[in-house]
Amino acid sequence: MSEQLSGDGSKSVRVRYAPSPTGYPHVGNIRTALFNWLFARHTGGNFVIRIEDTDVERRVAGAVEDILESLRWMGMAWDEGPCVDGDFGPYTQSERLHLYQPLADQLVREDYAYPCFCSAQRLEEMRAEQVRLNQPTGYDRRCRDLTEQERARCRAEGIDPVIRFKVPRAGRTQFRDLIRGKVTFENSLLDDFVLLKSDGFPTYHLANVIDDHFMQISHVLRADEWMASTPRHIMLYNALKYEPPLFAHLPMILGPDKSKLSKRHGATSLLEFREEGYLAEAMMNFLALLGWSLDDRTEIIDRQTLIKSFSLERIGKTAAIFNIDKLRWMNGVYIRALSLEELTDKAIPFLEKHLPSHITRPLDRDYVRKVVALEQDRMKTLKELPELARFFFEAEVAAPLDLLANTGVPDQKAVEAFEVSLDVISGMEPFDHDSLETRFRALATELSLKTKDLFGLLRIAITGGTSAPPLFDTMALLGKDQCIRRIQKALVLLRCA
RNA sequence: GCCCCCAUAGUCUAGUGGCCUAGGACGUCGGCCUUUCAAGCCGAAGAUCAGGGGUUCGAAUCCCCUUGGGGGUACCA
């Protein structure tokens, strides 16, 4: 058993991430992909991607590309799947249609399944009635025991049947979930589910079982929401005489309202996090910790360690709520750990995109690097940088009068401070951090101002705000001319007040 | 309604019968550092381990019931 759990057995591990292109993947989907990927990498197994596009109606254009791009961004390379040939392709179900139909026919022939001619309308009425009577809903098996004659008649009427699985009326189906242990279902409570739709497409249940078998999937790691479908799958494996894979149902990731993640929860599409300036490394670390833990204290875990220490045993059972605050913190940790060059590379696209349009592009990389050095500790996401550092790029900064007038320093005194500061700056050579600090500390004393007040005044004039990187680093980077211009502007503003 | 799963602070979690006067992290609050904001460091508050019954010398840990939450109940995945 522990052999199965850890996947260290002789049987090689093959896991798959099987998204359906009905929308863009959210963090829950990607967390499932991540656990599969980590398990594959940990065990030296294969990570397969299979596109489950059997629902023609709900197909969303661009979804496949979005799914693949999400995985690429996270650095989860797949061993087989779209764009990566393998021995078990094709890896898109709509290209495997020829497989499902014969197997469905075989099941009918062997009496494991039967054609059902019930109309959508009848099914709907039946369900409504069941709901009205407070009875369990489910197909009433009307077509289960049709004679060949009756079937022929229906076909003659031109009705395209669906193929339904003939669920045993008695007994129970159970399986051992790697995370939850033994789970048992009463067969009598399951209805005869559809295997093949009337348009000839398989349902998820059929295609999934057949593909997992032919692709030799060893472990199915999927979200909890699939647990209720598992007995059907077990029955199918048995009817098809396939050996079922091992199952592990992962705890779900819930929205802030504790319900299943969906579009209604807003920015949950993974690529939106990239847009928002989160780092893939932070995202991976964070997602790994949603439902899995290394030990009782480790939070920051790099990719290699994640792979090395990942195990099914340490996956929890309880659903987790996606907590963006912790992600932000963790993203900050990863940003601070970046080298200046790396962070500069990552920051430039965000600056180019979000800085006001009147600021000329392209930005000077050397200058950006210096700005980044001053802002690295202050940003939690890359997208915050343009706002934090905007004053470094603006030709002019409008210091709000209400800020200037409310520092606690009387306006007269502030005016004097600015005037003297201008003199000092004009004659200053070199114009660097140390010279500035030495001179302005002395100046505060000369003006009988607290350093706090003098520096605060200058900060507002120069950055337009009350929070910024250390003043003299900022001034040195901005340069003498910029400093003079900004102080002059603040001076004018204050004098007119 | 019925079926399945889950249940430790606001959130993520550690804990698998005694090491738990329940540990870590985010967030919150306070302090230090300091020219501001961050970062960093230090500290605090915050959990009757959902509730109730058992089992046991001993239970967050095992069993039962209740409650709560989630998921499923489609010719969706």
Side-chain angles (χ1 to χ4, degrees):
Chain A
M1 168 188 144
S2 65
E3 203 175 64
Q4 292 179 332
L5 283 175
S6 60
D8 290 327
S10 50
K11 191 173 159 193
S12 73
V13 167
R14 286 178 58 80
V15 290
R16 84 305 196 270
Y17 172 52
S20 80
T22 53
Y24 299 149
H26 54 59
V27 291
N29 301 137
I30 297 301
R31 202 281 313 264
T32 295
L34 174 62
F35 280 17
N36 274 282
W37 180 80
L38 284 172
F39 187 58
R41 291 293 167 266
H42 176 79
T43 56
N46 286 290
F47 177 54
V48 180
I49 302 225
R50 183 175 70 227
I51 304 297
E52 309 218 319
D53 59 346
T54 54
D55 187 341
V56 187
E57 305 266 300
R58 295 199 310 153
R59 188 176 294 175
V60 170
V64 172
E65 202 32 59
D66 208 82
I67 289 163
L68 300 181
E69 180 56 22
S70 296
L71 296 172
R72 285 189 202 105
W73 177 56
M74 292 280 282
M76 294 192 264
W78 51 101
D79 305 302
E80 297 166 35
C83 311
V84 182
D85 285 341
D87 297 337
F88 305 92
Y91 295 92
T92 297
Q93 290 184 329
S94 59
E95 293 167 24
R96 301 169 64 80
L97 261 21
H98 59 280
L99 267 170
Y100 313 122
Q101 176 109 36
L103 260 358
D105 289 343
Q106 175 192 318
L107 288 172
V108 171
R109 241 181 294 120
E110 297 178 353
D111 203 32
Y112 283 113
Y114 60 91
C116 166
F117 301 89
C118 292
S119 67
Q121 192 198 339
R122 188 186 101 70
L123 260 21
E124 217 169 279
E125 288 164 1
M126 178 196 68
R127 182 160 302 106
E129 182 68 358
Q130 289 165 337
V131 169
R132 194 178 69 78
L133 296 174
N134 256 337
Q135 289 175 341
T137 55
Y139 181 55
D140 62 6
R141 300 172 165 163
R142 174 184 280 200
C143 296
R144 181 160 163 142
D145 297 310
L146 255 31
T147 62
E148 261 323 308
Q149 219 170 8
E150 289 168 316
R151 288 176 183 170
R153 189 158 50 234
C154 288
R155 279 186 224 278
E157 282 175 36
I159 303 174
D160 286 326
V162 300
I163 302 297
R164 286 184 186 272
F165 187 77
K166 204 178 254 190
V167 173
R169 312 294 301 254
R172 49 186 55 161
T173 298
Q174 55 181 215
F175 64 97
R176 218 178 56 73
D177 187 275
L178 263 21
I179 293 172
R180 294 158 209 281
K182 191 192 283 182
V183 184
T184 307
F185 289 83
E186 214 55 59
N187 290 165
S188 60
L189 266 7
L190 299 177
D191 72 347
D192 289 353
F193 55 99
V194 174
L195 298 176
L196 208 63
K197 309 178 203 180
S198 54
D199 64 0
F201 273 71
T203 59
Y204 167 82
H205 303 299
L206 214 221
N208 184 263
V209 164
I210 291 175
D211 287 344
D212 279 347
H213 172 258
F214 283 113
M215 293 182 181
Q216 295 178 22
I217 299 304
S218 63
H219 297 66
V220 170
L221 316 191
R222 68 200 342 174
D224 212 15
E225 55 187 320
W226 295 108
M227 184 113 70
S229 299
T230 308
R232 300 175 222 276
H233 300 166
I234 302 276
M235 289 175 181
L236 265 176
Y237 280 107
N238 292 155
L240 257 4
K241 288 149 194 89
Y242 296 160
E243 186 193 341
L246 266 16
F247 292 95
H249 289 94
L250 311 173
M252 309 244 301
I253 294 179
L254 274 22
D257 63 352
K258 289 182 166 237
S259 75
K260 188 170 159 179
L261 231 33
S262 71
K263 316 89 229 157
R264 109 193 122 67
H265 292 103
T268 48
S269 164
L270 188 80
L271 260 14
E272 282 180 52
F273 286 91
R274 177 170 68 177
E275 296 296 304
E276 288 300 311
Y278 290 91
L279 305 183
E281 295 74 14
M283 210 66 211
M284 177 176 283
N285 189 159
F286 180 74
L287 252 24
L289 256 18
L290 243 35
W292 176 85
S293 60
L294 209 201
D295 54 30
D296 62 338
R297 59 192 64 250
T298 314
E299 305 281 344
I300 303 300
I301 311 171
D302 64 62
R303 171 174 308 229
Q304 281 318 308
T305 308
L306 235 29
I307 291 171
K308 188 160 69 72
S309 31
F310 186 79
S311 75
L312 264 27
E313 287 92 336
R314 291 199 65 85
I315 295 178
K317 299 179 181 175
T318 66
I321 292 172
F322 189 83
N323 179 205
I324 192 96
D325 280 337
K326 186 159 178 175
L327 206 213
R328 280 177 55 75
W329 162 76
M330 192 172 277
N331 202 56
V333 171
Y334 275 86
I335 283 180
R336 272 171 255 130
L338 252 24
S339 73
L340 204 46
E341 293 303 326
E342 289 170 325
L343 184 53
T344 302
D345 287 340
K346 292 182 190 294
I348 286 176
F350 281 85
L351 290 167
E352 301 264 1
K353 181 169 180 188
H354 298 288
L355 242 19
S357 56
H358 62 260
I359 292 166
T360 40
R361 274 64 164 188
L363 271 10
D364 179 69
R365 190 176 193 288
D366 195 52
Y367 185 68
V368 170
R369 187 184 342 101
K370 289 172 181 160
V371 171
V372 164
L374 294 180
E375 299 285 5
Q376 186 163 21
D377 284 353
R378 295 171 175 70
M379 54 172 140
K380 291 234 175 20
T381 67
L382 297 170
K383 197 182 172 187
E384 288 175 356
L385 182 59
E387 202 44 49
L388 284 171
R390 180 174 163 177
F391 66 85
F392 277 113
F393 299 93
E394 292 280 13
E396 307 217 317
V397 159
L401 183 59
D402 60 321
L403 283 184
L404 285 172
N406 287 297
T407 56
V409 178
D411 288 2
Q412 274 313 110
K413 193 69 183 171
V415 167
E416 184 194 353
F418 281 144
E419 285 169 346
V420 182
S421 294
L422 282 172
D423 282 346
V424 166
I425 291 172
S426 305
M428 186 168 286
E429 201 59 52
F431 193 74
D432 59 24
H433 172 278
D434 289 353
S435 315
L436 282 161
E437 174 151 18
T438 307
R439 194 59 198 87
F440 276 94
R441 279 194 187 283
L443 186 61
T445 310
E446 289 161 26
L447 288 166
S448 309
L449 277 172
K450 289 184 202 153
T451 51
K452 191 176 182 162
D453 290 332
L454 206 218
F455 298 175
L457 237 19
L458 288 167
R459 181 175 302 106
I460 294 167
I462 284 165
T463 71
T466 53
S467 66
L471 183 60
F472 305 119
D473 288 314
T474 300
M475 289 174 72
L477 179 53
L478 242 16
K480 184 189 286 193
D481 292 348
Q482 266 298 326
C483 291
I484 290 175
R485 208 171 324 151
R486 293 180 187 196
I487 292 169
Q488 279 173 335
K489 200 167 175 198
L491 193 50
V492 170
L493 205 60
L494 212 45
R495 274 181 179 144
C496 296

